Amino acid sequence: MFSKRTLRSALGGSGVALLAAAAAVVSLTIPAAHAAGTPLRDLAEAKGVYMGTALMQNELTGTSGSIAGAQFDSVTPGNEMKWASVEPNRGTYNWGPADQIVSFAQANTMQVRGHNLVWHSQLPNWLTSGSFSNSDLHDIMIKHVTDEVTHFKGKVVHWDVVNEPFNEDGTFRSDLWYNQLGSSYIADALTAAHAADPGAKLYVNDYNIEGENAKSNAMYNLVKSLKAQGVPIDGVGFQAHFILGQVPSDFKANLQRFADLGVDVAVTELDVRMQLPADATKLQQQANDYTSVMNDCLGVSRCVGVTVWGFNDATSWVPGTFSGYGAATPYDENFQPKPAYTAIQTALGGTTTTPPTTPPTTPPTTPPGGGSGCAVSYGVNQWNTGFTANITVTNGGSSAINGWTLKWTQSSGTQTVTQAWNATVTKSGTGYTATNLSYNAAIPANGSASFGFNADWSGANPAPTGFTLNGAACTTS
């Protein structure tokens, strides 16, 4: 377990708020960096566990990066280590985004959870559309696992080697790997990962296995079988994507029965979604749910830590995936701690205090549109059925913008937005609309704002054209 960072602890809430303000070199209104009191990471370390968060590459700076580095001692890349991201073309690796997250973790004395090596989703087109023999597919999988684990050897503490192998009824998921290689692909992937980095802890990770049910029983039997065969498996990851008020009452007992098999257990992707709008009653129930999860983990000696799947509602995957639901994380869209944060703090043995607030500043004058200098850059990482788009909009006008809406069209194909960050992204017909969130409404003259989204696609997925910012046409690159 990493030692406490005395500098961060000494800074406290006001010091980290100053760091966040210094990072905000543009005239955005930046909220308080994090709640007062001992950081979660220090409380967790005192309990012998880690407290982690998922982060994406565009969340490493500004307020998001400041809070993450101050509060958490483990980071899981949201997308940057998945197959389509790191090996978009066969044998050609794009390590840059994942390396940035690892560097951020090292700079902030955080451990890294690698997510993930073998999964049915976010696979590159060359892999899913190729006609590979069983032997060739097996070799491709082993090479990818070996190459990725080798690249991050000594830098990743835990690996989600195989992700989501089961259906809800406990049968193996019918995907590329199982259909051609059978269930042995799991043992082979674990064995390859261990050979590449014997010091890393290797996990199988899944959702809806938190309580005892058909799916968790299947996972239990898999782990028992792998252990009996001598396959190197060190732990099981329980994703813990919960609906408000539905944390299983037998979660702790279920964690314990896995631990009794001789493996570690971890809560790997925790969030608690609620039907919007949020209110005080729902937020208190959410806090109770976070308390339950924390206590369940802390009550099992082999539960090594808890990771929230994004720590703030502004970048949470939930609203883009579950219509009408959101507010699932410990911080709200303005990066202010919610009762769920206090619940985690208290469960870890901290003393709760009133979180600091930052008074709003007077916003700059809003021009009617984006101005003649509006420019948009659009980057895409695409695989066979989905893509990740990253968009930066620049205000080249002489006046600041306070409140922005970017619109564009997709000329052909069918796309469905599944997740967005740093903006609300909606789609109607062929038209997209992206609207600022509360914390990034202001774009100063010659300043920019960045956001992104994940989407599924079919038919075609050409680059969009015709961007407009607040009704004014933009140039595109």
Side-chain angles (χ1 to χ4, degrees):
M1 199 59 63
F2 292 110
S3 62
K4 297 183 181 179
R5 297 166 309 155
T6 55
L7 175 60
R8 293 263 183 195
S9 298
L11 283 172
S14 59
V16 182
L18 289 173
L19 292 175
V25 295
V26 297
S27 58
L28 297 177
T29 300
I30 300 296
H34 67 82
T38 306
L40 300 181
R41 58 178 293 155
D42 293 345
L43 295 170
E45 287 169 6
K47 293 282 189 180
V49 297
Y50 65 80
M51 189 70 216
T53 184
L55 285 177
M56 290 180 287
Q57 180 188 8
N58 60 358
E59 297 179 280
L60 303 180
T61 58
T63 306
S64 177
S66 176
I67 295 175
Q71 291 289 337
F72 302 98
D73 61 354
S74 177
V75 60
T76 303
N79 288 305
E80 290 76 5
M81 288 186 177
K82 294 172 181 174
W83 199 313
S85 296
V86 298
E87 194 181 2
N89 298 296
R90 186 175 182 180
T92 301
Y93 291 94
N94 174 30
W95 302 117
D99 283 344
Q100 287 187 37
I101 293 179
V102 171
S103 295
F104 174 86
Q106 292 173 333
N108 288 279
T109 323
M110 307 165 82
Q111 59 179 280
V112 178
R113 183 178 193 90
H115 181 79
N116 54 61
L117 296 173
V118 182
W119 189 29
H120 67 88
S121 185
Q122 290 185 237
L123 298 172
N125 186 63
W126 67 264
L127 181 57
T128 56
S129 64
S131 298
F132 301 108
S133 68
N134 295 352
S135 176
D136 286 343
L137 182 64
H138 180 269
D139 291 346
I140 288 169
M141 182 191 74
I142 297 302
K143 183 179 187 302
H144 177 86
V145 170
T146 301
D147 289 349
E148 184 162 1
V149 175
T150 299
H151 179 82
F152 294 108
K153 183 177 182 179
K155 300 177 181 179
V156 171
V157 176
H158 308 98
W159 274 108
D160 291 328
V161 177
V162 175
N163 196 46
E164 301 174 1
F166 290 110
N167 295 313
E168 296 304 301
D169 63 359
T171 58
F172 282 102
R173 184 186 294 273
S174 180
D175 62 6
L176 175 68
W177 310 111
Y178 180 75
N179 289 348
Q180 285 198 235
L181 306 179
S183 62
S184 63
Y185 83 89
I186 299 173
D188 292 346
L190 289 163
T191 301
H194 178 72
D197 186 359
K201 300 294 185 179
L202 308 181
Y203 281 66
V204 179
N205 188 56
D206 215 325
Y207 63 93
N208 288 354
I209 61 169
E210 294 76 24
E212 187 168 345
N213 54 39
K215 192 173 188 180
S216 67
N217 288 341
M219 179 68 81
Y220 180 88
N221 290 330
L222 171 66
V223 174
K224 188 175 181 180
S225 173
L226 292 172
K227 292 285 288 183
Q229 297 172 56
V231 175
I233 180 169
D234 301 294
V236 177
F238 297 74
Q239 292 185 13
H241 294 297
F242 291 128
I243 300 173
L244 190 71
Q246 296 187 21
V247 177
S249 60
D250 59 348
F251 190 15
K252 178 182 174 182
N254 195 38
L255 290 172
Q256 187 62 60
R257 73 163 176 152
F258 278 87
D260 290 342
L261 290 175
V263 295
D264 291 337
V265 291
V267 179
T268 55
E269 303 182 22
L270 174 63
D271 49 37
V272 181
R273 62 186 181 270
M274 64 183 69
Q275 193 163 18
L276 298 174
D279 58 34
T281 300
K282 294 177 184 177
L283 291 173
Q284 184 54 56
Q285 177 61 57
Q286 182 184 63
N288 296 343
D289 292 342
Y290 272 90
T291 296
S292 296
V293 174
M294 295 301 301
N295 287 341
D296 287 346
C297 175
L298 292 170
V300 176
S301 62
R302 295 201 68 153
C303 187
V304 297
V306 175
T307 296
V308 291
W309 198 248
F311 68 87
N312 68 88
D313 294 340
T315 57
S316 171
W317 72 300
V318 169
T321 305
F322 301 98
S323 179
Y325 284 79
T329 74
Y331 283 74
D332 67 18
E333 289 189 351
N334 296 312
F335 292 98
Q336 295 297 317
K338 293 156 57 178
Y341 172 92
T342 305
I344 297 171
Q345 185 183 52
T346 302
L348 290 171
T351 302
T352 61
T353 58
T354 303
T357 58
T358 299
T361 58
T362 303
T365 303
T366 304
S372 59
C374 167
V376 174
S377 65
Y378 178 89
V380 64
N381 179 14
Q382 181 172 304
W383 55 96
N384 60 315
T385 60
F387 66 98
T388 297
N390 290 291
I391 300 174
T392 298
V393 55
T394 300
N395 171 24
S398 58
S399 300
I401 296 172
N402 186 46
W404 52 268
T405 297
L406 188 72
K407 295 186 176 183
W408 69 94
T409 58
Q410 198 82 20
S411 59
S412 62
T414 300
Q415 297 83 26
T416 303
V417 176
T418 59
Q419 178 187 10
W421 49 94
N422 296 340
T424 300
V425 180
T426 58
K427 184 173 180 289
S428 178
T430 60
Y432 286 79
T433 300
T435 305
N436 65 270
L437 300 179
S438 56
Y439 64 88
N440 65 352
I443 308 178
N446 297 315
S448 61
S450 297
F451 66 95
F453 63 92
N454 291 334
D456 298 327
W457 69 277
S458 62
N461 188 42
T465 56
F467 288 95
T468 63
L469 179 63
N470 291 353
C474 304
T475 60
T476 306
S477 61

